[in-house]
Amino acid sequence: PSAPFRDFDDNVTVTAGQWTGRLASGSVKWGSLSNVKADLKVAHRLMEPEEVNTMVAELSKVELFDEDKDSVDELPTYEFYLFDRQGLERKIGKRDANPAEFAARQKVRDKIEPIWRPILEERITPLVNQQYPDKCKGKCQACYSLVRRYLEDE
């Protein structure tokens, strides 16, 4: 079987916002369509190991990840939204639509927001705007952010 990620260029060092690091461009095969590929960029160490470890530790306390069906493969999503500009409590089919679950999950969000918010605003957003100047014109920003859980038995 062929690797899903292919054709990566050599890493280049870039600076965007508060982040300086290595960036590689490549492509990924799109599902079972052998002739369709999506271009992508991989930013090495956009998050520092201690940031990852802290977020994983806090997110491991979340007992109930969303398990609605994924729109692509219809398998459970196992996701946890960090934010949504339209409002988390309005996401139909998600656990946050239940006020009690929203309140419980918000405590985790509040605890990790000081970690992920600067990563999004000071690293990811400037990097996206830099890498896609024709499309973004300096105005791209995230509409939502989520974390997906991947366990061996799921």
Side-chain angles (χ1 to χ4, degrees), residues 16-19 45-52 54-55 82 112-128 145:
Q18 301 292 319
W19 180 76
R45 284 188 71 161
L46 195 58
M47 291 180 69
E48 293 298 325
E50 56 272 10
E51 293 168 330
V52 172
T54 301
M55 286 193 59
L82 299 175
I112 61 176
E113 184 171 1
I115 298 168
W116 67 257
R117 178 76 64 185
I119 293 166
L120 178 64
E121 294 177 355
E122 299 169 11
R123 301 178 207 170
I124 296 171
T125 300
L127 181 62
V128 168
S145 181

Side-chain angles (χ1 to χ4, degrees), residues 77-134:
T77 58
Y78 300 115
E79 60 194 15
F80 180 85
Y81 276 78
L82 299 175
F83 87 99
D84 186 320
R85 290 194 189 283
Q86 295 181 353
L88 291 167
E89 64 282 353
R90 295 180 19 206
K91 294 194 82 59
I92 296 169
K94 301 290 186 185
R95 293 189 182 278
D96 285 314
N98 175 314
E101 288 191 44
F102 176 83
R105 291 159 55 113
Q106 189 60 40
K107 291 176 185 174
V108 175
R109 288 186 188 100
D110 291 344
K111 189 150 188 177
I112 61 176
E113 184 171 1
I115 298 168
W116 67 257
R117 178 76 64 185
I119 293 166
L120 178 64
E121 294 177 355
E122 299 169 11
R123 301 178 207 170
I124 296 171
T125 300
L127 181 62
V128 168
N129 280 289
Q130 178 195 73
Q131 294 297 308
Y132 302 97
D134 295 340

